Amino acid sequence: MSDESSAQERRSSPPVREIRPNLWIVAGAGVAYGLAMRMLFGLHYFRGVADSSSVGSSGPMLVSFLFLVPALIGAYTLYLLPRHQRNFGRALLAPWLPTLVFIGAASVLLIEGSICIAMALPIFLVSASLGGILAWAALSVVTPSRSTVGTFLLLPLIGGSFERGIPLPDLIGQSDDSIHIAAPPQAIWHLINDATDIRAGEMAQGVAWRIGVPYPIEAVTVGSGADRVRKLRWDKGVHFDEPIVEWDENRYIRWRYVFAADSIPDGALDEHVLIGGRHFDLLDTSYRLTPEDGGTRLAIHVSYRVSTHFNGYAGAWARWLVGDASHTILVFYQRRAEAAQTAQALASR
């Protein structure tokens, strides 16, 4: 066949149409990948080698999932985009679309709860952008084969297989706060040991309760002497005991925490942030009451444990949430004690 006839045939043949997926189609692929990974990391194999808090992390709490999966969603997004659409701006922000849709789908499908989503969202967005930027830089130099891309997409599963048996380090944190209350110590002491009919609105300012932690309903101390126990009831059927280990009436009280098998019903708290669970626990709480300027200085001290492979990040969240919850509780006692004092003063007139 002559060159002239070949050229004529090429001219007469219809042009091959290049498939250029739009961002929503690309995002759909990222969402599908994210949901598939979440399902796989939810399998028993990735849920740790033991139920002990000191051995092994659980699936979605593995670094291989929490950091690597969103990074690969970001990288995959850039890989699927047509070459002419790849730039630094898209590398930075385009991965957010599949990441946010994936997180939303996980919430709608009840795969994850609001507390885990709130804590994981910053990691997911930053990791997705980082993955997109790294892919943008790499794709400007090389064009990987599909088999290479597929291998990279399996990295979280490979990493998780090794990571799941690594012991969890414990981070012991402490939170301290105090508030002045225009009421005598004995009035506040009574509230600490007999707080009933607690309304959701009284805890509304606390971040922990805004993102899904059940709010308290009552806290009542029963028994006497060494058998004193503070009984807690929260919303959603949560209940647990706080055995009192130190008691100096109207001055100081300290308790530890005891959770029974049925203390936290299924669905009441995200499984990865269960109090007394593998990754988080409250150790003890104490209150000190000191007379001050015609009222009382009420100080709270809380000790807690965080156990993850990313304690720096998880510890920062725990420090903020425990501190915010402690302050919210102090304000609750302040409002109730001062309201009682006002009502008592009006009644005595």
Side-chain angles (χ1 to χ4, degrees):
M1 183 180 292
S2 65
D3 291 342
E4 183 178 349
S5 60
S6 297
Q8 184 178 359
E9 183 179 344
R10 287 196 298 270
R11 287 194 297 270
S12 61
S13 299
V16 177
R17 185 176 181 181
E18 181 183 357
I19 299 176
R20 296 181 177 181
N22 62 42
L23 185 56
W24 282 104
I25 295 176
V26 170
V31 172
Y33 171 73
L35 288 174
M37 283 291 135
R38 177 59 185 87
M39 294 298 185
L40 289 171
F41 272 89
L43 297 176
H44 179 74
Y45 176 78
F46 286 107
R47 298 180 71 85
V49 297
D51 291 331
S52 167
S53 63
S54 62
V55 180
S57 186
S58 59
M61 294 293 285
L62 292 166
V63 171
S64 304
F65 175 83
L66 197 57
F67 291 83
L68 196 51
V69 167
L72 286 169
I73 289 176
Y76 194 40
T77 300
L78 261 290
Y79 170 76
L80 293 177
L81 283 176
R83 184 181 297 273
H84 72 279
Q85 292 185 16
R86 297 171 187 161
N87 54 52
F88 181 80
R90 278 197 172 90
L92 181 68
L93 297 178
W96 285 20
L97 178 58
T99 301
L100 289 171
V101 175
F102 159 54
I103 292 174
S107 175
V108 171
L109 295 173
L110 303 180
I111 299 173
E112 294 293 351
S114 57
I115 303 172
C116 283
I117 288 174
M119 296 177 68
L121 185 58
I123 292 178
F124 268 63
L125 294 180
V126 171
S127 297
S129 289
L130 182 59
I133 292 171
L134 291 175
W136 168 70
L139 291 171
S140 65
V141 179
V142 298
T143 301
S145 65
R146 290 185 178 180
S147 60
T148 300
V149 173
T151 301
F152 270 97
L153 293 178
L154 292 175
L155 284 179
L157 300 178
I158 298 171
S161 295
F162 289 98
E163 184 189 352
R164 68 189 184 98
I166 300 175
L168 294 173
D170 291 339
L171 171 67
I172 306 301
Q174 299 180 347
S175 175
D176 290 279
D177 199 358
S178 69
I179 196 169
H180 176 81
I181 301 176
Q186 56 268 28
I188 303 166
W189 183 265
H190 173 74
L191 278 176
I192 292 173
N193 290 283
D194 189 19
T196 59
D197 192 27
I198 302 173
R199 300 177 299 277
E202 295 180 279
M203 297 291 160
Q205 72 185 76
V207 176
W209 291 285
R210 291 181 186 178
I211 63 175
V213 174
Y215 63 85
I217 296 175
E218 68 175 26
V220 178
T221 298
V222 299
S224 60
D227 296 326
R228 290 190 184 97
V229 177
R230 200 166 178 259
K231 297 282 187 177
L232 268 289
R233 282 201 309 117
W234 287 4
D235 185 32
K236 299 182 181 179
V238 176
H239 62 93
F240 54 94
D241 289 349
E242 296 173 340
I244 296 172
V245 294
E246 292 188 62
W247 174 284
D248 185 2
E249 192 161 345
N250 297 328
R251 293 182 178 87
Y252 182 78
I253 185 172
R254 183 173 71 88
W255 58 76
R256 57 187 180 86
Y257 295 83
V258 174
F259 296 90
D262 63 345
S263 285
I264 302 178
D266 291 342
L269 276 171
D270 293 358
E271 61 174 314
H272 306 115
V273 291
L274 284 178
I275 304 173
R278 180 180 300 184
H279 300 290
F280 177 74
D281 196 12
L282 291 172
L283 303 180
D284 64 17
T285 295
S286 65
Y287 286 100
R288 187 174 298 278
L289 295 79
T290 306
E292 177 186 80
D293 299 332
T296 305
R297 170 65 55 177
L298 177 61
I300 184 173
H301 174 85
V302 182
S303 297
Y304 57 90
R305 171 185 58 80
V306 174
S307 304
T308 69
H309 290 148
F310 44 94
N311 278 346
Y313 180 81
W317 267 95
R319 183 166 56 252
W320 179 43
L321 290 175
V322 171
D324 181 79
S326 297
H327 185 74
T328 301
I329 293 170
L330 289 177
V331 172
F332 162 76
Y333 286 129
Q334 181 189 50
R335 289 173 177 167
R336 281 217 169 178
E338 292 182 352
Q341 289 300 112
T342 301
Q344 185 178 348
L346 291 174
S348 63
R349 289 181 180 177

